[in-house]
Amino acid sequence: MKFKLLLTMTVAAMLAMPISSFAKTYQVAVGDPKGSDQAAVADAFKKHIEEMSNGDITIEIFYSSTLGDETETLRNVQNGTLPFSVAGIANVVPFQKNLGIMTLPYLWDTLDEVVVGTTGAPAEFINSYALKVGFRFIAYAYTDFRFMTNSRRPITKMSDMQGLKFRVPQSAILIASYKAFGASPTPISWSETFTALQQGVVDGQCNGYLTIQTMKFLEANQKYLTEVHYTYQVQPLVMSERIFKKLSKEEQNLIIEAGKKAQQDALDFHKQFTQKAKEEMIADGLVVSYLEDEDQWKKAAYEKVWPEMENFVGGKQFINEYLKLLGKPEWK
């Protein structure tokens, strides 16, 4: 009887104790290696969510496509079998075409414009379309304009693009853009890009300085880089909406707030290390060129790519809704 009484009292005491709704571990898939812009947003999110939850929530980060390429990890996020993935926006577009608006060539002219487009009302507008396919954008990594690198020659004008093969993500808009610029685009998964460049399957690719450095693309024959500003590479930290909806309101709020802090940290990281990466690669032999005719690239974008992709991303009204939120003039 004494044992039963003691057991009853113990169980009652346990039930009376406050039980944390957290004490959970979440996995984050990152396509790029440590030290990259993608890694920066994941690392910052881990830091903030673990601190804000007093360790009740822990984050495990898997770098360098350990859990699969970005398309695969995004599919798992959508299905709810993986909580988080950091992925280039172009790789999210096949799941939700409206998000392709963020890859329209010459949508943004400066980093400040990109920040406006990924915070506040513009970010909420974009997220509302991500939610339709089971994604929730928690934060963004800022990864610079998609500068073009190649193994064959400097590019200083559009005519230099003739005959060059470029690796692109599976993005209808980027494919259309490269065709408009006179090159031959070849969709290749991110995890296979280094090998494709090294073996000469394609001549070049496009990314920011830090990504090019952390992916060691100079070792894959990428000697020439051109600073062309046709699109800015934003990379959202994507959470599974299926998982998010199962959480308590308190935990949801923690994740949202940690995401905001991580995004600011990612922006600071990008500003701090991009120039350093550029200088180090130039010292290692990278040849940097600048366009003499970027107005012609813009003209090709607005006259060829935007009309061609108008319906793909949701129509002119949709495009103009986002442009209005950005404080930009209407596209007519």
Side-chain angles (χ1 to χ4, degrees), residues 89-103:
I89 191 65
N91 286 325
V92 188
V93 174
F95 296 88
Q96 172 56 284
K97 291 181 179 179
N98 296 86
L99 301 178
I101 193 170
M102 302 182 85
T103 66

Side-chain angles (χ1 to χ4, degrees), residues 303-322:
E303 292 184 357
K304 296 180 181 180
V305 185
W306 281 52
E308 181 183 347
M309 292 292 110
E310 174 186 340
N311 292 329
F312 178 89
V313 302
K316 185 167 290 187
Q317 182 178 344
F318 171 78
I319 293 171
N320 283 328
E321 281 184 65
Y322 188 57

